[in-house]
């Protein structure tokens, strides 16, 4: 039945959108704290997925040990990038910093191709294979369990931002850097923390997405979908990232199912164009956002 097919496609799209939301959370976290638009977020998640492949496939570690190691590697990479490449750019024009992140993305693609070649790879199986049914609707187990893991991490992130000292420091710095300085907050450390935690979220999402569809050096193109998510939701809005992530994931999947795979990206860019005309700062973003 058509409604059954639509329901299953919608479920799959929302589950994938949950992973988009997790990546977008990392993007927004970095932007809120540092005002840096990180175009390398897709390549950071790609690099973490390749680390998982190296640990679980090459070194034959348990996938449940390889995953935290790979996520840790991705988060450390984010911290190193901030300290060595982004921090020296403080005070430079936004477009200069954007170009640095684009250059970092190209470097990461080159590193991956050098060590793992440009051939597509499959990650070792680690998610449960039991079919998942929600009522009469079937959901592929990889997508379902990937969504559950991503949703759990999203909840942990939100609790961290709300109740921990580090989360309060991040929110204070995002609201007013000068005021945060005057209150004794180490703003430079907060900048680094934002890159670490933002890269951690993207790294985990990268492993989960690669587990459902495979991995290649072009995997970072997912960053384009995430860029659409954060612009639609608002560059400085965590709530916008969550809602827009679910919507864009659903839209991509529905457009691909009914119109063909080649219409997945064009459908999201149509939405992006409409949002930019109606609300250039995003559905939940603030007017004060500085765009490049």
């Amino acid at each position: 039945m058509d409604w059954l097919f639509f329901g299953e496609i919608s479920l799959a799209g929302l589950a994938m959108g949950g992973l988009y939301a997790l990546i977008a959370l990392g993007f927004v976290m970095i932007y809120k704290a540092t005002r840096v638009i990180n175009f390398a977020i897709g390549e950071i998640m790609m690099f973490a997925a390749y680390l998982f492949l190296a640990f679980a496939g090459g070194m034959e570690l348990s996938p449940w040990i390889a995953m935290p190691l790979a996520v840790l590697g991705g988060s450390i990479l984010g911290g190193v990038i901030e300290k060595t490449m982004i921090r020296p750019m403080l005070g430079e024009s936004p477009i200069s910093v954007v170009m640095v992140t684009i250059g970092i993305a190209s470097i990461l693609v080159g590193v991956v191709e050098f060590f793992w070649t440009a051939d597509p790879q499959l990650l070792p199986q680690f998610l449960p294979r039991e079919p998942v049914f929600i009522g009469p609707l079937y959901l592929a187990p990889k997508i379902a369990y990937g969504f559950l893991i991503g949703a759990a991490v999203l909840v942990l992130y939100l609790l961290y931002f709300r109740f921990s000292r580090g989360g309060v420091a991040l929110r204070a710095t995002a609201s007013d850097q000068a005021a945060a300085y005057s209150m004794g907050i180490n703003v430079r450390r907060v900048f680094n923390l934002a890159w670490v935690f933002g890269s951690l979220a993207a790294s985990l999402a990268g492993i989960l997405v690669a587990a459902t569809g495979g991995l290649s050096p072009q995997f970072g193109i997912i960053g384009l979908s995430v860029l659409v998510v954060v612009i639609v939701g608002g560059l400085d809005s965590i709530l916008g990232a969550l809602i827009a992530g679910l919507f864009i994931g659903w839209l991509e999947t529905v457009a691909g199912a009914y119109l063909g795979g080649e219409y997945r990206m064009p459908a999201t860019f149509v939405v992006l164009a409409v949002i930019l005309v109606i609300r250039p700062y995003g559905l939940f973003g603030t007017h004060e956002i500085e765009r490049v």
Side-chain angles (χ1 to χ4, degrees):
M1 296 179 65
D2 288 343
W3 69 268
L4 188 62
F5 177 73
F6 178 77
E8 291 180 345
I9 291 298
S10 295
L11 271 180
L14 290 173
M16 185 58 67
L19 297 180
Y20 282 175
L22 183 58
I23 305 169
L25 175 65
F27 195 111
V28 170
M29 190 186 314
I30 291 172
Y31 180 82
K32 279 179 70 71
T34 67
R35 288 300 188 262
V36 172
I37 300 175
N38 180 16
F39 278 89
I41 195 78
E43 281 67 29
I44 290 174
M45 58 184 282
M46 171 201 68
F47 187 78
Y50 271 102
L51 285 180
F52 176 82
L53 179 65
F55 291 136
M59 299 175 64
E60 298 184 350
L61 296 177
S62 165
W64 299 106
I65 295 176
M67 181 184 291
L69 288 177
V71 170
L72 178 63
S75 61
I76 291 174
L77 174 64
V80 170
I81 288 173
E82 188 279 331
K83 192 165 186 176
T84 61
M85 302 182 190
I86 302 300
R87 189 175 299 179
M89 297 295 293
L90 287 176
E92 301 293 336
S93 65
I95 191 65
S96 299
V97 183
V98 165
M99 294 306 296
V100 169
T101 65
I102 293 174
I104 292 169
S106 298
I107 291 172
L108 290 177
V109 171
V111 169
V112 162
E113 290 184 348
F114 179 79
F115 285 103
W116 287 281
T117 76
D119 298 330
Q121 309 270 0
L122 290 177
L123 297 189
Q125 173 67 35
F126 66 96
L127 294 173
R129 300 182 182 183
E130 293 79 11
V132 176
F133 289 92
I134 301 177
L137 304 178
Y138 169 78
L139 184 60
K142 287 184 178 181
I143 296 177
Y145 291 110
F147 171 78
L148 290 177
I149 295 172
V153 172
L154 276 172
V155 171
L156 290 176
Y157 262 73
L158 295 177
L159 291 174
Y160 176 82
F161 293 143
R162 179 66 180 85
F163 296 108
S164 73
R165 292 183 62 184
V168 172
L170 278 168
R171 288 188 284 122
T173 303
S175 298
D176 191 324
Q177 292 181 11
Y181 264 122
S182 67
M183 295 298 293
I185 294 175
N186 187 339
V187 173
R188 288 184 176 231
R189 183 173 179 274
V190 171
F191 284 176
N192 193 259
L193 199 64
W195 273 80
V196 168
F197 278 99
S199 299
L200 188 152
S203 297
L204 176 62
I207 294 170
L208 295 174
V209 173
T212 65
L215 182 62
S216 75
Q218 287 72 46
F219 182 72
I221 198 69
I222 293 174
L224 287 179
S225 295
V226 176
L227 184 61
V228 173
V229 168
V230 296
I231 293 177
V232 169
L235 277 171
D236 63 344
S237 173
I238 290 178
L239 175 63
L242 302 182
I243 294 175
L246 292 172
F247 173 71
I248 294 298
W250 173 84
L251 179 63
E252 275 193 1
T253 306
V254 170
Y258 284 95
L259 302 178
E262 66 273 19
Y263 289 97
R264 288 168 58 95
M265 293 296 290
T268 61
F269 283 116
V270 168
V271 172
L272 174 61
V274 172
I275 294 298
L276 287 176
V277 171
I278 299 174
R279 290 177 68 91
Y281 43 88
L283 294 176
F284 298 91
T286 56
H287 292 269
E288 293 78 16
I289 291 177
E290 183 180 25
R291 292 176 297 276
V292 295

